[in-house]
């Protein structure tokens, strides 16, 4: 009931009408909805281009329709949040938190103590242990404190282990380790916990999907988690970044083994930065079989994720191959679920297939209800609403679709929509300035038109189920329609 109360009267009306208007099952078929039903969080980053308003509109539409957890690609890192000593910049992070709240997404915070993307001024204190401790404590206290209660989980320490065959702490090129020693990690967890006792706190790293052989990075992580738990260091989760390549076929089962080892310690394992890239040189030469293989790997990761009860989040490091750090920095390419034109790839279908093959009744969640259904913080702004998810809370409505030819939706501010065959009419005082957008059920925009005196010809749209958004001034209506 909590959710229903949280819906504005306006949104509730559209939700009820929407359910009566179409097959509710089909509307649920987004990754987001299937994840939510399973008590899990699946998401992608918001790329830096999004923060700079330099990304195609499809990006956000797909992002908020398909996913229920979000993380900033760069905007919550040290250099972004504390560019000058004790002068904090939370603007971009706030933008994401607001977006997440408006769209019901869980937020991961990334990352507090990391050797990379540290602001330059920190290097002025190289080797000065007490000063560096004070700098790190101040940073963590102020950043975590700023978003207290709004960020569900922090990567407290990122990539602190070296790449040697016999894993140990990263002792070079880390201003924190070189100046403070390994105690910077323990301290970072304690300070983060003090600043937000309810936040989950993770150790996050790459190459821990390579198995638990002696001397491996993964084994080292497990040993440290044991030590942290024994010493009451408040760690609750490990993040496996999992930036892999198409040839890395053993990694899903390695992640399963790591999850099981951490389960024994009462710690969650999250996949935090997954991408499954092809070698860059293969761009333009990839075949259907290659994409299917990529899908198969995504599917195996999703299977492991859903089958291991101490896994909670599955985050992919990007949404579209058009915006990915793989091409820019990694000599890899096309590692994500959507292609450069925002079309879902076979990997998307594989993820969906895995979710459907694991019924909600069989998937365990590591989270209590208070986390799965937090109090609604959605602002009462109705301009952008994701009804796809909200509708599920009112699915037991008895409102039924009564007429095939003409549908009418009324909203309180004197706008109504009528659909007659393939013509959509916007009625009411503000109708002539209205804008109509139609999205498919995966959130991809397929039609957009404005200033047409309230009459919109939808004959270019194929039969099917869609979400329509009508905006006029500050009023907005989002609902689902069926075109036949
Ligand atoms: C990457 C970003 O995607 C790039 O834009 C940035 O230039 C470098 O960092 N591990 C991490 C992430 O923890 O923060 C990194 O993100 C990718 C590797």
């Amino acid at each position: 009931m909590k959710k229903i109360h949280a819906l504005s009267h306006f949104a509730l009306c559209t939700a009820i009408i929407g359910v009566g208007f179409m097959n509710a099952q089909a509307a649920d078929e987004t990754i987001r909805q299937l994840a939510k039903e399973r008590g899990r969080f699946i998401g992608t980053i918001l790329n830096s281009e999004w923060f700079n308003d330099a990304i195609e509109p499809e990006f956000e539409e797909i992002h908020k329709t398909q996913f229920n957890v979000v993380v900033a690609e760069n905007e919550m890192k040290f250099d972004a949040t504390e560019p000058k000593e004790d002068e904090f910049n939370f603007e971009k992070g706030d933008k994401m938190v607001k977006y997440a709240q408006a769209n019901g997404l869980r937020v991961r915070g990334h990352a507090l103590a990391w050797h990379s993307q540290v602001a330059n001024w920190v290097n002025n204190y190289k080797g000065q242990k007490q000063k560096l401790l004070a700098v790190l404590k101040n940073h963590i206290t102020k950043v975590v404190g700023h978003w207290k209660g709004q960020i569900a989980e922090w990567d407290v320490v990122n990539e602190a282990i070296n790449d040697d065959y016999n894993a140990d702490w990263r002792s070079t090129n880390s201003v924190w380790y070189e100046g403070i020693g390994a105690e910077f990690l323990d301290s970072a967890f304690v300070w983060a916990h003090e600043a937000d006792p309810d936040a989950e706190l993770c150790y996050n790293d790459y190459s821990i999907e390579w198995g638990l052989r002696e001397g491996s990075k993964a084994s080292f992580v497990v040993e440290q988690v044991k030590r942290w738990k024994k010493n009451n260091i408040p760690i609750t989760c490990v993040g496996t970044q999992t930036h892999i390549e198409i040839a890395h076929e053993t990694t899903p089962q390695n992640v399963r083994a790591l999850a099981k080892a951490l389960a024994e310690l009462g710690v969650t394992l999250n996949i935090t930065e997954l991408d499954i890239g092809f070698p860059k040189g293969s761009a333009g030469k990839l075949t259907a079989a290659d994409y299917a293989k990529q899908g198969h790997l995504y599917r195996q990761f999703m299977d492991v994720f859903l089958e291991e009860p101490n896994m909670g989040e599955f985050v992919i490091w990007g949404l579209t191959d058009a915006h990915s750090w793989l091409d820019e920095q990694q000599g890899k390419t096309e590692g994500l679920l959507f292609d450069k034109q925002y079309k879902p790839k076979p990997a998307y279908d594989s993820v969906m297939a895995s979710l459907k093959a694991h019924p909600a009744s069989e998937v365990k969640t590591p989270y209590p209800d208070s986390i799965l259904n937090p109090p609604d913080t959605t602002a009462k702004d109705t301009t952008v609403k994701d009804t796809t998810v909200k509708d599920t809370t009112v699915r037991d409505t008895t409102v039924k679709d009564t007429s095939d030819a003409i549908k009418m939706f009324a909203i309180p501010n004197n706008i109504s929509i009528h659909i007659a065959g393939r013509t959509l009419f916007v009625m009411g005082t503000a109708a002539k300035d209205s804008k109509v957008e139609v999205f498919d059920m995966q959130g991809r925009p397929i039609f957009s038109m404005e200033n047409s005196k309230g009459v919109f010809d939808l004959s270019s749209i194929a039969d099917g189920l869609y979400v329509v958004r009508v905006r006029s001034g500050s009023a907005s209506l989002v609902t689902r329609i069926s075109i036949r």
Side-chain angles (χ1 to χ4, degrees):
M1 283 312 285
K2 191 163 45 188
K3 281 269 169 189
I4 295 178
H5 285 309
L7 289 172
S8 66
H9 173 67
F10 161 84
L12 185 59
C13 282
T14 57
I16 290 170
I17 292 165
V19 169
F21 202 35
M22 57 172 291
N23 177 330
Q25 198 55 43
D28 289 344
E29 294 195 338
T30 58
I31 291 177
R32 175 184 174 131
Q33 186 52 38
L34 299 181
K36 185 174 165 61
E37 287 169 3
R38 286 156 183 74
R40 299 295 182 98
F41 295 96
I42 303 177
T44 80
I45 56 173
L46 283 174
N47 292 78
S48 291
E49 292 90 332
W50 178 88
F51 290 89
N52 299 328
D53 297 322
I55 203 154
E56 301 77 16
E58 290 94 319
F59 180 88
E60 188 178 307
E61 285 303 332
I62 295 176
H63 192 274
K64 66 193 176 203
T65 308
Q66 288 291 337
F67 303 113
N68 63 350
V69 57
V70 63
V71 63
E73 181 170 27
N74 288 300
E75 289 63 23
M76 286 188 183
K77 293 174 180 174
F78 197 120
D79 56 354
T81 48
E82 194 180 352
K84 292 191 184 146
E85 186 169 0
D86 205 27
E87 284 183 29
F88 289 82
N89 184 345
F90 297 126
E91 210 178 299
K92 289 190 174 166
D94 285 343
K95 178 176 170 175
M96 179 174 86
V97 169
K98 211 170 143 207
Y99 163 80
Q101 289 172 350
N103 294 289
L105 305 164
R106 173 180 170 92
V107 184
R108 298 197 83 241
H110 173 83
L112 298 169
W114 186 23
H115 65 279
S116 188
Q117 293 180 272
V118 181
N120 270 338
W121 61 264
V122 177
N123 292 312
N124 297 339
Y125 302 122
K126 261 193 173 157
Q128 299 178 34
K129 181 167 181 172
Q130 291 313 318
K131 179 66 188 172
L132 285 170
L133 278 168
V135 164
L136 189 57
K137 179 175 185 182
N138 186 51
H139 182 78
I140 291 177
T141 306
K142 297 218 170 121
V143 173
V144 176
H146 177 76
W147 286 300
K148 182 173 190 282
Q150 302 181 84
I151 292 195
E153 175 172 308
W154 277 102
D155 284 332
V156 178
V157 181
N158 195 30
E159 302 183 352
I161 304 173
N162 66 21
D163 297 317
D164 295 355
Y165 192 72
N166 280 314
D168 202 338
W169 297 123
R170 179 188 298 276
S171 56
T172 52
N173 298 323
S174 164
V175 70
W176 307 121
Y177 188 92
E178 286 168 279
I180 301 171
E183 71 190 74
F184 91 83
L185 289 101
D186 300 31
S187 303
F189 279 101
V190 171
W191 295 325
H193 184 64
E194 274 172 6
D196 188 349
D198 293 330
E200 296 201 38
L201 304 179
C202 296
Y203 175 78
N204 193 51
D205 214 331
Y206 61 88
S207 295
I208 58 172
E209 71 280 8
W210 280 106
L212 286 160
R213 68 161 179 81
E214 213 185 309
S216 70
K217 233 163 149 165
S219 298
F220 190 77
V221 169
V222 172
E223 285 316 303
Q224 296 313 313
V225 172
K226 270 186 202 157
R227 182 178 63 78
W228 283 323
K229 293 300 270 185
K230 198 167 126 236
N231 296 338
N232 285 326
I233 299 296
I235 180 170
T236 65
C237 43
V238 166
T240 168
Q241 293 185 3
T242 329
H243 296 287
I244 62 156
E245 292 176 27
I246 202 73
H248 296 166
E249 290 170 356
T250 60
T251 48
Q253 295 317 321
N254 296 339
V255 166
R256 190 192 291 282
L258 180 58
K260 288 190 189 301
L262 292 169
E264 282 176 30
L265 306 174
V267 164
T268 306
L269 178 65
N270 293 321
I271 294 174
T272 51
E273 304 185 15
L274 182 63
D275 41 38
I276 304 178
F278 294 100
K280 200 161 182 182
S282 59
K285 299 179 209 141
L286 294 167
T287 63
D290 293 325
Y291 291 116
K293 186 171 177 197
Q294 182 181 48
H296 190 56
L297 264 174
Y298 264 102
R299 159 100 204 217
Q300 289 175 74
F301 276 111
M302 186 53 73
D303 287 349
V304 167
F305 171 70
L306 295 169
E307 287 160 16
E308 296 305 319
N310 65 322
M311 297 192 77
E313 294 173 319
F314 186 108
V315 180
I316 302 165
W317 204 249
L319 182 152
T320 160
D321 291 331
H323 301 282
S324 165
W325 81 307
L326 290 184
D327 294 277
E328 292 155 17
Q329 298 171 24
Q330 295 296 296
K332 290 191 265 181
T333 194
E334 298 191 39
L336 305 172
L337 295 189
F338 291 83
D339 72 11
K340 292 187 175 169
Q341 281 74 45
Y342 288 91
K343 261 184 41 220
K345 292 157 62 177
Y348 174 88
D349 299 333
S350 299
V351 166
M352 288 294 276
S354 172
L355 281 158
K356 289 183 201 165
H358 293 83
S361 57
E362 287 170 20
V363 177
K364 297 201 174 66
T365 176
Y367 303 113
D369 191 58
S370 56
I371 287 184
L372 295 174
N373 296 301
D376 199 316
T377 46
T378 310
K380 286 280 173 271
D381 166 19
T382 56
T383 51
V384 184
K385 290 287 179 200
D386 180 353
T387 57
T388 311
V389 164
K390 287 179 179 148
D391 287 356
T392 61
T393 56
V394 291
R395 202 182 299 156
D396 60 346
T397 176
T398 52
V399 176
K400 290 280 182 281
D401 182 8
T402 51
S403 145
D404 274 337
I406 296 186
K407 314 291 176 195
M408 178 174 163
F409 309 89
I411 53 176
N413 47 27
N414 203 18
I415 297 184
S416 58
I417 299 173
H418 302 256
I419 299 176
R422 286 170 172 266
T423 308
L424 185 148
F425 300 93
V426 181
M427 317 291 281
T429 47
K432 71 173 170 36
D433 298 321
S434 55
K435 176 175 185 189
V436 165
E437 293 158 286
V438 179
F439 304 90
D440 68 14
M441 296 314 295
Q442 277 67 51
R444 290 178 288 264
I446 54 159
F447 176 90
S448 169
M449 192 183 276
E450 54 194 312
N451 297 327
S452 70
K453 302 206 168 102
V455 182
F456 298 88
D457 176 6
L458 304 184
S459 57
S460 62
I461 299 178
D463 283 10
L465 304 169
Y466 299 91
V467 173
V468 63
R469 178 165 69 193
V470 182
R471 284 194 265 195
S472 179
S474 62
S476 158
L477 168 65
V478 181
T479 191
R480 298 181 218 163
I481 56 171
S482 158
I483 293 184
R484 297 171 236 160

